[in-house]
Amino acid sequence: MEGSLDTKPRWERRKDARPEELLAAAVDLFVERGFASTRLEDVARRAGVSKGTLYLYYENKEELFKAVVRNSIVRALGEAEDSIAGFDGHSADLLRILIHGWWQRLGATKASGIIKLVMAEAGNFPELAQFYREEVIDRGTKMISSMLERAVASGEFRPVDVNMVTQVIIAPMLMLVTWRHSVAPCNGSELDPMVFLDTFLDLTLRGLLPADNPHRTSSA
Amino acid sequence: MEGSLDTKPRWERRKDARPEELLAAAVDLFVERGFASTRLEDVARRAGVSKGTLYLYYENKEELFKAVVRNSIVRALGEAEDSIAGFDGHSADLLRILIHGWWQRLGATKASGIIKLVMAEAGNFPELAQFYREEVIDRGTKMISSMLERAVASGEFRPVDVNMVTQVIIAPMLMLVTWRHSVAPCNGSELDPMVFLDTFLDLTLRGLLPADNPHRTSSA
Amino acid sequence: MEGSLDTKPRWERRKDARPEELLAAAVDLFVERGFASTRLEDVARRAGVSKGTLYLYYENKEELFKAVVRNSIVRALGEAEDSIAGFDGHSADLLRILIHGWWQRLGATKASGIIKLVMAEAGNFPELAQFYREEVIDRGTKMISSMLERAVASGEFRPVDVNMVTQVIIAPMLMLVTWRHSVAPCNGSELDPMVFLDTFLDLTLRGLLPADNPHRTSSA
Amino acid sequence: MEGSLDTKPRWERRKDARPEELLAAAVDLFVERGFASTRLEDVARRAGVSKGTLYLYYENKEELFKAVVRNSIVRALGEAEDSIAGFDGHSADLLRILIHGWWQRLGATKASGIIKLVMAEAGNFPELAQFYREEVIDRGTKMISSMLERAVASGEFRPVDVNMVTQVIIAPMLMLVTWRHSVAPCNGSELDPMVFLDTFLDLTLRGLLPADNPHRTSSA
DNA sequence: GATGAATGAGCGTTCATTCAT
DNA sequence: CATGAATGAACGCTCATTCAT
């Protein structure tokens, strides 16, 4: 029964897999070496193909990088948006879910290195900076802002400066990423991400929720 | 009176100034473009000398970078060490002085971009990473740790896990740098550094000082 | 009645048509972009086949180009030879027929771009140059020369330096092609080909025909 | 006395010579192989330098080509303009001087291959096409047109369609170039350029000059 | 026969580094 | 000391050609 679902010749099945294989190799190297210092030939070799093959799937280095971003960060953003849309409960719990989901889907994965990389190198590659701003920053910011607005409007959260709080929420995630990829490797220091995020959540929710709200503790 | 301090002919003073001029040009460009993307020709041009001259003073790109680091971060570290050695007062005040001094001498200056740069690119340049670890990280860590140890030994601070607290103290400084150079430019967001650092100091000292210690408030 | 002429199944007729379709696509692109700059992938795509298929019909790029030349210029040359062989009249009229036929079958068609292309690029592709010399230049020259010799021998034309006159006859045709493909597009200038060719014919025949020959005017 | 005029160190004299050496190598190869097929490494090697050196003098391949054009065709155009400005005589003689000057300064030199090259390849390099149109075609056309206008206004030449005649004058020069670089090498044929140009001049001037003008014959 | 994925040699361009002057 | 011309290795990208299916 399963075999009947895939009647393609082997090389065609390979072709379907290629983009994924190339992206996998690309994330690894981009994270290891940064955008500028990653050689496409190395990406190709790590994916087990020749340099030319890479160009069958991605127009150039920047497009490859965009694909990596779309395949990790943008995808996770979409999933987060979906989980917001489908969520039916208190916004405090939604915020907890988002932050934890971010950690599991991005923060803890190799892809988080991409976030650090963009912070480090976007300045030198204006087209990438624009792409990242449009497809990640703007969209992510909007997602959190509108969630906050809804929560404020419904009275779940106290009236706050939504844009400011959005920044406050994003900050510790970037912090964690910086830590993992820049500080820890230089430093050997430890920082338990879950403890850090939960501390942050408790603190922030204490500020966002109206007084004496039972959602204050994560055990709620 | 002034002339007696510098009897060299002008061109020789110029010669003595060269390294400084080169370093000034180099910081600017390293901070603007990162290590890999900075072209030595641009550094030389900005310093008003030829490319070859640069090599008279610095063996190669990495040595130039090291010199930049020594001239800013390492120098500031030395000054901090001196101010510790010469300090005669309560360790809580010393910590305040160190943090504020860091902000004034490094955090608020262009050189803070170097810190971010190292976090971003050190991975690609192992020799730089090693240099930075030895001359900045290890030394800075040791400085803070020994200060803490002394304070704990003297009873000024409660007994704490010194290594852990060292990390806790370093973190917000890195945070601030990351914010200024990576987040703010992508984000337009604001973060008042002094407020941030003071908040951190109050919070941390509250944890470090024995109960009911008058040094708890910065006005003490 | 029509069906009886072609009893093959449709796909097989398609197969027979492939070479023609490929050649058609190839002329277009060679003329548009030149030999070196034409990508075989584009030729294949324009013919509606895959790149690999092209290689089933033509060994490589040069062979494809040769086929294009054979299918246009060489074929026209053959037809011209036939029309000479089958011609029964005065050589002056034959020359008129040849020149006009050349214009209709080649000069006015896309294939004339191939002539220009050879003039422009043959230098870079020695094998093509040799092929073109053997199959076009030598043969065309011989055709005209022998026609002239016959006409001189028969007394239709005055005794002339046959090789020289051959060049004189070829020149305006190349001129016209150069004009259409190299000068006009840079220049917006016009040049009525028929007027040009007729002027040339009148002029040349005036020189070739014995005095007071009634064939001097094209209306004869 | 002469030595005192050149006190530069040898390598500096070399530097002054480099552009010329590079241009010389470049004309040769561009004419031999065309624009697209000429490898910059070959140009460099022929000039006796490394590939990188070429880029010290010319930003890229197109700029190198433009420099070649400026150094030959555009320069000759300027000289022609000067000789028009400084000319004091009958326009028929001026036209003769221009045509003969063109042959000596361009037509008979290697640079004439550049003209052919542009006709052949400009289509594939839009920026080059634009450059050539602006700096050569437009300027050259304007030069001839205004000369004709002046001659017509002064009554030296009969009233004619100036733009049309301009094309008529340019045509045989392009013809000659095509002949030398495209036809002759394929053909072994000969065409005495001076005879060709003089024939053209006599013919054209016969059409331009008022009846019974003594300037009709070049011996005038 | 037909496909199209894969290859790899080749070229334009950049830039840290050297060295004759 | 200072110069800046010269080098050459490196890398992004292209495309004719091959070959497993």
Coordinates of all heavy atoms in Angstrom, one line a residue, chain C residues 51-128:
Chain C
K51 N 16.9 19.6 -22.6 CA 18.3 19.8 -23.1 C 18.9 18.5 -23.6 O 19.6 18.5 -24.6 CB 19.1 20.3 -21.9 CG 20.0 21.4 -22.2 CD 20.9 21.9 -21.1 CE 20.5 21.6 -19.7 NZ 21.5 22.2 -18.8
G52 N 18.6 17.4 -22.9 CA 19.2 16.1 -23.3 C 18.7 15.7 -24.7 O 19.5 15.2 -25.5
T53 N 17.5 16.0 -25.0 CA 17.0 15.6 -26.3 C 17.8 16.2 -27.4 O 18.0 15.6 -28.5 CB 15.5 16.0 -26.4 OG1 14.8 15.4 -25.4 CG2 14.9 15.6 -27.8
L54 N 18.2 17.4 -27.2 CA 18.9 18.1 -28.2 C 20.2 17.3 -28.6 O 20.5 17.2 -29.8 CB 19.4 19.5 -27.7 CG 19.5 20.6 -28.7 CD1 19.5 21.9 -27.9 CD2 20.8 20.5 -29.4
Y55 N 20.8 16.7 -27.6 CA 22.0 15.9 -27.9 C 21.7 14.6 -28.6 O 22.6 13.9 -29.0 CB 22.7 15.7 -26.6 CG 23.6 16.9 -26.2 CD1 23.0 17.9 -25.5 CD2 24.9 17.0 -26.6 CE1 23.8 19.1 -25.2 CE2 25.6 18.1 -26.3 CZ 25.1 19.1 -25.6 OH 25.8 20.2 -25.2
L56 N 20.4 14.2 -28.6 CA 20.1 13.0 -29.4 C 20.2 13.3 -30.8 O 20.4 12.4 -31.7 CB 18.7 12.5 -29.0 CG 18.5 12.0 -27.6 CD1 17.0 11.6 -27.4 CD2 19.4 10.8 -27.4
Y57 N 20.0 14.6 -31.2 CA 19.9 14.9 -32.6 C 21.2 15.6 -33.1 O 21.6 15.5 -34.2 CB 18.7 15.8 -32.9 CG 17.4 15.1 -32.7 CD1 16.8 15.1 -31.5 CD2 16.9 14.3 -33.7 CE1 15.6 14.5 -31.3 CE2 15.7 13.7 -33.5 CZ 15.0 13.7 -32.3 OH 13.9 13.0 -32.2
Y58 N 21.9 16.3 -32.2 CA 23.1 17.0 -32.6 C 24.2 16.7 -31.6 O 23.9 16.9 -30.4 CB 22.8 18.5 -32.8 CG 21.7 18.7 -33.8 CD1 20.4 19.0 -33.3 CD2 22.0 18.6 -35.1 CE1 19.4 19.2 -34.2 CE2 21.0 18.7 -36.0 CZ 19.7 19.0 -35.6 OH 18.7 19.2 -36.5
E59 N 25.3 16.3 -32.0 CA 26.4 15.9 -31.2 C 26.8 17.0 -30.1 O 27.1 16.7 -29.0 CB 27.6 15.5 -32.0 CG 28.1 14.2 -31.7 CD 29.3 13.9 -32.7 OE1 30.1 14.8 -32.9 OE2 29.3 12.7 -33.3
N60 N 26.8 18.2 -30.6 CA 27.2 19.3 -29.7 C 26.8 20.6 -30.3 O 26.2 20.7 -31.4 CB 28.7 19.2 -29.4 CG 29.5 19.2 -30.7 OD1 29.2 19.9 -31.6 ND2 30.6 18.5 -30.7
K61 N 27.2 21.7 -29.7 CA 26.8 23.0 -30.1 C 27.3 23.3 -31.5 O 26.5 23.8 -32.4 CB 27.4 24.0 -29.2 CG 26.7 25.4 -29.1 CD 27.3 26.3 -28.2 CE 26.6 27.6 -28.0 NZ 27.2 28.6 -27.1
E62 N 28.5 22.9 -31.8 CA 29.0 23.2 -33.2 C 28.3 22.5 -34.2 O 28.0 23.0 -35.3 CB 30.5 22.9 -33.2 CG 31.3 23.7 -32.3 CD 32.8 24.0 -32.8 OE1 33.3 23.2 -33.5 OE2 33.3 25.1 -32.4
E63 N 27.9 21.2 -33.9 CA 27.2 20.4 -34.9 C 25.8 21.0 -35.2 O 25.3 21.0 -36.3 CB 27.1 18.9 -34.5 CG 28.4 18.2 -34.6 CD 29.0 18.2 -36.0 OE1 28.2 18.1 -37.0 OE2 30.2 18.3 -36.1
L64 N 25.2 21.5 -34.1 CA 23.9 22.1 -34.2 C 24.0 23.3 -35.1 O 23.2 23.5 -36.0 CB 23.4 22.5 -32.8 CG 22.1 23.4 -32.9 CD1 20.9 22.6 -33.4 CD2 21.8 23.9 -31.5
F65 N 25.1 24.1 -34.9 CA 25.2 25.2 -35.7 C 25.5 24.9 -37.2 O 24.9 25.4 -38.1 CB 26.4 26.1 -35.2 CG 26.6 27.4 -36.0 CD1 25.7 28.4 -35.7 CD2 27.5 27.5 -37.0 CE1 25.8 29.6 -36.4 CE2 27.7 28.7 -37.7 CZ 26.8 29.7 -37.4
K66 N 26.3 23.8 -37.4 CA 26.5 23.4 -38.8 C 25.2 23.0 -39.4 O 24.9 23.3 -40.6 CB 27.5 22.2 -38.8 CG 28.9 22.5 -38.5 CD 29.8 21.3 -38.5 CE 31.2 21.5 -38.0 NZ 32.0 20.3 -38.0
A67 N 24.3 22.3 -38.6 CA 23.1 21.9 -39.2 C 22.2 23.1 -39.6 O 21.5 23.1 -40.6 CB 22.3 21.0 -38.2
V68 N 22.3 24.1 -38.7 CA 21.5 25.3 -39.1 C 22.0 25.9 -40.4 O 21.2 26.3 -41.2 CB 21.7 26.4 -37.9 CG1 21.3 27.7 -38.4 CG2 20.9 26.0 -36.7
V69 N 23.3 25.9 -40.5 CA 23.9 26.5 -41.8 C 23.5 25.6 -43.0 O 23.1 26.1 -44.0 CB 25.4 26.5 -41.7 CG1 26.1 26.9 -43.0 CG2 25.8 27.6 -40.6
R70 N 23.6 24.3 -42.8 CA 23.3 23.4 -43.9 C 21.8 23.6 -44.2 O 21.4 23.5 -45.4 CB 23.5 21.9 -43.5 CG 25.0 21.6 -43.4 CD 25.2 20.1 -43.6 NE 26.6 19.8 -43.4 CZ 27.2 19.5 -42.2 NH1 26.4 19.4 -41.1 NH2 28.5 19.2 -42.1
N71 N 21.0 23.8 -43.3 CA 19.5 23.8 -43.5 C 19.1 25.1 -44.1 O 18.0 25.2 -44.6 CB 18.8 23.6 -42.2 CG 17.3 23.3 -42.4 OD1 17.0 22.5 -43.2 ND2 16.5 24.1 -41.6
S72 N 20.0 26.1 -44.1 CA 19.5 27.4 -44.6 C 20.5 27.8 -45.8 O 20.1 27.7 -47.0 CB 19.5 28.5 -43.6 OG 20.8 28.5 -42.9
I73 N 21.7 28.1 -45.4 CA 22.6 28.6 -46.4 C 23.0 27.6 -47.5 O 22.9 27.7 -48.7 CB 23.8 29.2 -45.8 CG1 23.4 30.3 -44.7 CG2 24.7 29.9 -46.8 CD1 24.5 31.0 -44.0
V74 N 23.4 26.4 -47.0 CA 23.9 25.4 -47.9 C 22.7 24.9 -48.7 O 22.9 24.7 -50.0 CB 24.5 24.2 -47.1 CG1 24.9 23.1 -48.1 CG2 25.7 24.7 -46.3
R75 N 21.6 24.8 -48.1 CA 20.4 24.3 -48.9 C 20.1 25.3 -50.1 O 19.9 24.9 -51.2 CB 19.2 24.2 -48.0 CG 17.9 23.9 -48.8 CD 16.7 24.5 -48.1 NE 16.5 24.0 -46.7 CZ 15.9 22.8 -46.5 NH1 15.3 22.2 -47.4 NH2 15.8 22.4 -45.2
A76 N 20.1 26.6 -49.7 CA 19.9 27.6 -50.7 C 20.9 27.6 -51.8 O 20.6 27.8 -53.0 CB 19.8 29.0 -50.1
L77 N 22.2 27.3 -51.4 CA 23.2 27.2 -52.3 C 22.9 26.1 -53.3 O 23.1 26.2 -54.6 CB 24.6 26.9 -51.6 CG 25.9 27.5 -52.1 CD1 25.7 28.9 -52.5 CD2 27.0 27.3 -51.1
G78 N 22.5 25.0 -52.8 CA 22.2 23.8 -53.6 C 21.1 24.2 -54.6 O 21.2 23.9 -55.8
E79 N 20.1 24.9 -54.1 CA 19.0 25.2 -55.0 C 19.5 26.2 -56.1 O 19.0 26.1 -57.3 CB 17.9 25.9 -54.2 CG 17.2 24.9 -53.3 CD 16.2 25.6 -52.3 OE1 16.1 26.8 -52.3 OE2 15.6 24.9 -51.5
A80 N 20.4 27.1 -55.7 CA 20.9 28.0 -56.7 C 21.7 27.2 -57.8 O 21.6 27.4 -59.0 CB 21.9 29.0 -56.0
E81 N 22.5 26.2 -57.3 CA 23.2 25.4 -58.3 C 22.3 24.7 -59.2 O 22.5 24.6 -60.4 CB 24.1 24.4 -57.5 CG 25.3 25.0 -56.9 CD 26.0 24.0 -55.9 OE1 25.4 23.0 -55.6 OE2 27.1 24.3 -55.4
D82 N 21.2 24.2 -58.7 CA 20.2 23.5 -59.5 C 19.6 24.5 -60.5 O 19.4 24.1 -61.7 CB 19.0 22.9 -58.6 CG 19.5 21.8 -57.8 OD1 20.7 21.3 -58.0 OD2 18.8 21.4 -56.9
S83 N 19.3 25.7 -60.0 CA 18.7 26.6 -61.0 C 19.6 27.0 -62.1 O 19.3 27.3 -63.2 CB 18.1 27.8 -60.2 OG 19.1 28.7 -59.9
I84 N 20.9 27.0 -61.7 CA 21.9 27.2 -62.8 C 21.9 26.1 -63.8 O 21.9 26.3 -65.0 CB 23.4 27.4 -62.2 CG1 23.4 28.7 -61.4 CG2 24.4 27.4 -63.3 CD1 24.8 28.9 -60.8
A85 N 22.0 24.9 -63.2 CA 22.1 23.7 -64.1 C 20.9 23.6 -65.0 O 21.0 23.3 -66.2 CB 22.2 22.4 -63.2
G86 N 19.7 24.0 -64.5 CA 18.5 23.8 -65.3 C 18.2 25.1 -66.1 O 17.2 25.1 -66.8
F87 N 19.1 26.1 -66.0 CA 18.7 27.3 -66.7 C 19.1 27.3 -68.2 O 20.2 26.8 -68.6 CB 19.5 28.5 -66.0 CG 19.1 29.8 -66.6 CD1 17.9 30.4 -66.3 CD2 19.9 30.5 -67.5 CE1 17.5 31.6 -66.8 CE2 19.6 31.7 -68.0 CZ 18.4 32.3 -67.7
D88 N 18.2 27.9 -68.9 CA 18.5 27.9 -70.4 C 18.1 29.3 -70.9 O 17.0 29.6 -71.2 CB 17.5 26.8 -71.0 CG 17.7 26.8 -72.5 OD1 18.9 27.1 -72.9 OD2 16.8 26.5 -73.2
G89 N 19.1 30.1 -70.9 CA 18.9 31.5 -71.3 C 20.2 32.3 -71.2 O 21.3 31.7 -71.1
H90 N 20.0 33.6 -71.2 CA 21.2 34.4 -71.2 C 21.8 34.5 -69.8 O 21.1 34.6 -68.9 CB 20.9 35.8 -71.8 CG 22.1 36.6 -72.1 ND1 22.9 37.2 -71.2 CD2 22.8 36.8 -73.3 CE1 23.9 37.8 -71.7 NE2 23.9 37.6 -73.0
S91 N 23.1 34.5 -69.7 CA 23.8 34.5 -68.4 C 23.4 35.8 -67.6 O 23.5 35.8 -66.4 CB 25.3 34.4 -68.5 OG 25.6 33.1 -69.0
A92 N 23.2 36.9 -68.3 CA 22.8 38.1 -67.6 C 21.5 37.9 -66.8 O 21.4 38.3 -65.6 CB 22.6 39.3 -68.6
D93 N 20.6 37.2 -67.4 CA 19.3 36.9 -66.7 C 19.6 35.9 -65.6 O 19.0 36.0 -64.5 CB 18.3 36.3 -67.7 CG 17.9 37.4 -68.8 OD1 17.9 38.6 -68.4 OD2 17.6 37.0 -69.9
L94 N 20.5 35.0 -65.9 CA 20.8 34.0 -64.8 C 21.4 34.8 -63.6 O 21.0 34.5 -62.4 CB 21.8 33.0 -65.3 CG 22.3 32.0 -64.3 CD1 21.1 31.2 -63.7 CD2 23.2 31.0 -65.0
L95 N 22.2 35.7 -63.8 CA 22.8 36.4 -62.7 C 21.7 37.2 -61.9 O 21.6 37.2 -60.7 CB 23.9 37.4 -63.2 CG 24.6 38.2 -62.1 CD1 25.3 37.3 -61.1 CD2 25.6 39.2 -62.7
R96 N 20.8 37.8 -62.7 CA 19.7 38.5 -62.0 C 18.9 37.5 -61.2 O 18.5 37.8 -60.1 CB 18.8 39.1 -63.1 CG 19.3 40.4 -63.7 CD 18.3 41.1 -64.5 NE 18.9 42.2 -65.2 CZ 19.4 42.2 -66.5 NH1 19.2 41.1 -67.2 NH2 20.0 43.2 -67.0
I97 N 18.6 36.4 -61.8 CA 17.8 35.4 -61.0 C 18.5 34.9 -59.8 O 17.9 34.8 -58.7 CB 17.5 34.2 -61.9 CG1 16.5 34.6 -63.0 CG2 17.0 33.0 -61.1 CD1 16.3 33.5 -64.1
L98 N 19.8 34.7 -59.9 CA 20.6 34.3 -58.7 C 20.5 35.3 -57.6 O 20.3 35.0 -56.4 CB 22.0 34.0 -59.1 CG 22.3 32.7 -59.9 CD1 23.8 32.7 -60.3 CD2 21.9 31.5 -59.1
I99 N 20.8 36.6 -58.0 CA 20.8 37.6 -57.0 C 19.5 37.8 -56.3 O 19.3 37.8 -55.1 CB 21.3 38.9 -57.6 CG1 22.7 38.8 -58.2 CG2 21.3 40.1 -56.5 CD1 23.8 38.8 -57.1
H100 N 18.5 37.9 -57.1 CA 17.1 38.0 -56.6 C 16.7 36.8 -55.7 O 16.1 36.9 -54.7 CB 16.1 38.2 -57.7 CG 16.2 39.6 -58.3 ND1 15.9 39.9 -59.6 CD2 16.5 40.8 -57.7 CE1 16.1 41.2 -59.9 NE2 16.4 41.8 -58.7
G101 N 17.1 35.6 -56.3 CA 16.8 34.4 -55.5 C 17.5 34.4 -54.2 O 16.9 34.0 -53.1
W102 N 18.7 34.9 -54.2 CA 19.5 34.9 -52.9 C 18.7 35.8 -51.9 O 18.6 35.5 -50.8 CB 20.9 35.5 -53.2 CG 21.6 35.7 -51.9 CD1 22.3 34.9 -51.1 CD2 21.7 37.0 -51.2 NE1 22.8 35.4 -50.0 CE2 22.4 36.8 -50.0 CE3 21.1 38.3 -51.4 CZ2 22.6 37.8 -49.1 CZ3 21.4 39.3 -50.5 CH2 22.1 39.0 -49.3
W103 N 18.3 37.0 -52.4 CA 17.6 37.9 -51.5 C 16.3 37.2 -50.9 O 16.1 37.3 -49.7 CB 17.2 39.2 -52.2 CG 16.4 40.1 -51.4 CD1 15.1 40.4 -51.5 CD2 16.8 40.7 -50.2 NE1 14.7 41.2 -50.5 CE2 15.7 41.4 -49.7 CE3 18.1 40.8 -49.5 CZ2 15.8 42.2 -48.5 CZ3 18.1 41.5 -48.3 CH2 17.0 42.2 -47.8
Q104 N 15.6 36.6 -51.8 CA 14.3 36.0 -51.3 C 14.5 34.8 -50.4 O 13.8 34.7 -49.4 CB 13.4 35.6 -52.5 CG 12.7 36.7 -53.1 CD 12.3 36.5 -54.5 OE1 12.1 35.3 -54.9 NE2 12.1 37.5 -55.3
R105 N 15.5 34.0 -50.8 CA 15.7 32.8 -50.0 C 16.5 33.0 -48.8 O 16.5 32.2 -47.8 CB 16.3 31.7 -50.8 CG 15.4 31.1 -51.9 CD 16.2 30.2 -52.8 NE 15.4 30.0 -54.1 CZ 14.5 29.1 -54.2 NH1 14.1 28.4 -53.2 NH2 13.8 28.9 -55.3
L106 N 17.4 33.9 -48.8 CA 18.3 34.1 -47.7 C 18.3 35.5 -47.1 O 18.0 35.8 -46.0 CB 19.8 33.7 -48.1 CG 20.1 32.3 -48.1 CD1 21.6 32.1 -48.4 CD2 19.9 31.7 -46.7
G107 N 18.7 36.4 -48.0 CA 18.9 37.8 -47.6 C 17.8 38.4 -46.7 O 18.0 39.0 -45.7
A108 N 16.6 38.1 -47.2 CA 15.4 38.7 -46.5 C 15.0 37.9 -45.3 O 14.1 38.3 -44.6 CB 14.3 38.9 -47.5
T109 N 15.6 36.7 -45.1 CA 15.1 35.8 -44.1 C 16.0 35.9 -42.8 O 17.1 36.5 -42.9 CB 15.1 34.3 -44.5 OG1 16.5 33.9 -44.5 CG2 14.4 34.2 -45.8
K110 N 15.5 35.3 -41.8 CA 16.3 35.3 -40.5 C 17.7 34.7 -40.8 O 18.6 35.1 -40.1 CB 15.5 34.4 -39.5 CG 15.1 35.2 -38.3 CD 14.1 34.3 -37.4 CE 13.7 33.0 -38.1 NZ 12.4 32.5 -37.5
A111 N 17.7 33.8 -41.7 CA 19.0 33.1 -41.9 C 20.1 34.0 -42.3 O 21.3 33.7 -42.1 CB 18.8 32.0 -43.0
S112 N 19.8 35.2 -42.8 CA 20.9 36.1 -43.2 C 21.6 36.5 -42.0 O 22.8 36.8 -42.0 CB 20.3 37.3 -43.9 OG 19.5 38.0 -43.0
G113 N 21.0 36.4 -40.8 CA 21.7 36.7 -39.6 C 22.8 35.8 -39.3 O 23.8 36.1 -38.7
I114 N 22.7 34.6 -39.8 CA 23.7 33.6 -39.7 C 25.0 34.0 -40.4 O 26.1 33.8 -40.0 CB 23.2 32.2 -40.2 CG1 22.0 31.7 -39.4 CG2 24.4 31.2 -40.2 CD1 22.4 31.4 -37.9
I115 N 24.7 34.6 -41.6 CA 25.9 35.0 -42.4 C 26.7 36.1 -41.6 O 27.9 36.0 -41.5 CB 25.4 35.6 -43.7 CG1 24.7 34.5 -44.5 CG2 26.6 36.2 -44.5 CD1 24.1 35.0 -45.8
K116 N 25.9 37.0 -41.0 CA 26.6 38.1 -40.2 C 27.3 37.4 -39.1 O 28.4 37.8 -38.7 CB 25.5 39.0 -39.7 CG 26.1 40.1 -38.8 CD 25.3 40.2 -37.5 CE 26.0 40.9 -36.4 NZ 25.2 41.0 -35.2
L117 N 26.6 36.5 -38.4 CA 27.2 35.9 -37.2 C 28.5 35.2 -37.6 O 29.5 35.2 -36.8 CB 26.1 34.8 -36.8 CG 26.3 34.0 -35.5 CD1 25.0 33.4 -35.1 CD2 27.4 32.9 -35.7
V118 N 28.5 34.5 -38.7 CA 29.8 33.8 -39.1 C 30.9 34.9 -39.3 O 32.0 34.7 -38.8 CB 29.6 33.0 -40.4 CG1 30.9 32.5 -40.9 CG2 28.7 31.8 -40.1
M119 N 30.5 36.0 -40.0 CA 31.6 37.0 -40.2 C 32.0 37.5 -38.8 O 33.2 37.8 -38.6 CB 31.0 38.2 -41.0 CG 30.6 37.8 -42.4 SD 30.4 39.2 -43.5 CE 28.8 39.8 -43.0
A120 N 31.1 37.6 -37.8 CA 31.5 38.2 -36.6 C 32.3 37.2 -35.7 O 33.2 37.6 -35.0 CB 30.3 38.6 -35.8
E121 N 31.9 35.9 -35.7 CA 32.4 35.0 -34.7 C 33.3 33.9 -35.2 O 33.9 33.2 -34.4 CB 31.3 34.4 -33.8 CG 30.5 35.5 -33.0 CD 29.5 34.8 -32.0 OE1 30.0 34.2 -31.0 OE2 28.3 34.9 -32.3
A122 N 33.3 33.7 -36.5 CA 34.0 32.5 -37.0 C 35.5 32.5 -36.5 O 36.0 31.5 -36.2 CB 34.0 32.5 -38.5
G123 N 36.0 33.7 -36.3 CA 37.4 33.8 -35.9 C 37.6 33.0 -34.6 O 38.7 32.5 -34.3
N124 N 36.6 33.0 -33.7 CA 36.8 32.4 -32.4 C 36.6 30.9 -32.4 O 36.8 30.2 -31.4 CB 35.8 33.0 -31.4 CG 36.0 34.5 -31.3 OD1 35.1 35.2 -31.6 ND2 37.2 34.9 -30.9
F125 N 36.0 30.4 -33.5 CA 35.7 28.9 -33.5 C 36.2 28.4 -34.8 O 35.5 28.2 -35.8 CB 34.2 28.8 -33.4 CG 33.6 29.4 -32.1 CD1 33.2 30.7 -32.1 CD2 33.6 28.6 -31.0 CE1 32.7 31.3 -30.9 CE2 33.2 29.2 -29.8 CZ 32.7 30.5 -29.8
P126 N 37.5 28.0 -34.7 CA 38.2 27.6 -36.0 C 37.5 26.5 -36.7 O 37.5 26.5 -37.9 CB 39.6 27.1 -35.4 CG 39.7 27.8 -34.1 CD 38.4 27.9 -33.6
E127 N 36.9 25.6 -35.9 CA 36.3 24.5 -36.6 C 35.1 25.0 -37.4 O 34.8 24.5 -38.6 CB 35.8 23.4 -35.6 CG 35.6 22.1 -36.3 CD 34.8 21.1 -35.3 OE1 35.2 21.1 -34.1 OE2 33.9 20.4 -35.8
L128 N 34.4 25.9 -36.9 CA 33.2 26.5 -37.6 C 33.7 27.2 -38.8 O 33.1 27.2 -39.9 CB 32.5 27.4 -36.7 CG 31.6 26.8 -35.6 CD1 30.8 27.9 -35.0 CD2 30.7 25.7 -36.3

